[in-house]
Amino acid sequence: RRKIGSPHLKMASLTLGNESKTTVVLTYLDHVADPALVKKVQQRLESIEIKALVQNASKNEQFLGELIGKFNKSNFLFDRY
């Protein structure tokens, strides 16, 4: 929020990994993002059954990028918190 000072910036916090309980935040601008796309991405993330996300951020991006699949990956930025 500090870099994008917009009330349109929305964040949905999700927990991935049955054992690691890694917090992933889906962040988007609600006046730009297609609500159906946001919902579909959130559902796909919630459907993940994995023990843990690895510490290597590039591997996490690759994993989540493959999960997103057919969506335009340039519209997504992945980070872990």
Side-chain angles (χ1 to χ4, degrees):
R1 279 205 187 269
R2 283 177 275 174
K3 292 185 180 180
I4 301 177
S6 170
H8 295 287
L9 183 65
K10 302 299 178 191
M11 297 180 189
S13 180
L14 305 160
T15 303
L16 301 181
N18 299 331
E19 293 181 19
S20 68
K21 307 288 187 213
T22 305
T23 300
V24 175
V25 179
L26 176 60
T27 306
Y28 59 96
L29 294 169
D30 68 350
H31 70 296
V32 175
D34 176 5
L37 179 60
V38 171
K39 185 175 181 176
K40 190 176 238 185
V41 169
Q42 189 166 359
Q43 288 172 338
R44 280 186 143 178
L45 289 170
E46 290 170 344
S47 73
I48 294 174
E49 291 189 24
I50 190 170
K51 287 184 180 182
L53 291 178
V54 295
Q55 286 293 339
N56 185 328
S58 65
K59 286 191 180 202
N60 284 340
E61 276 192 40
Q62 180 182 357
F63 170 76
L64 292 172
E66 289 170 6
L67 175 76
I68 299 302
K70 296 178 185 175
F71 303 124
N72 183 351
K73 292 176 189 152
S74 65
N75 292 333
F76 297 95
L77 173 65
F78 299 111
D79 204 351
R80 61 184 173 77
Y81 294 90

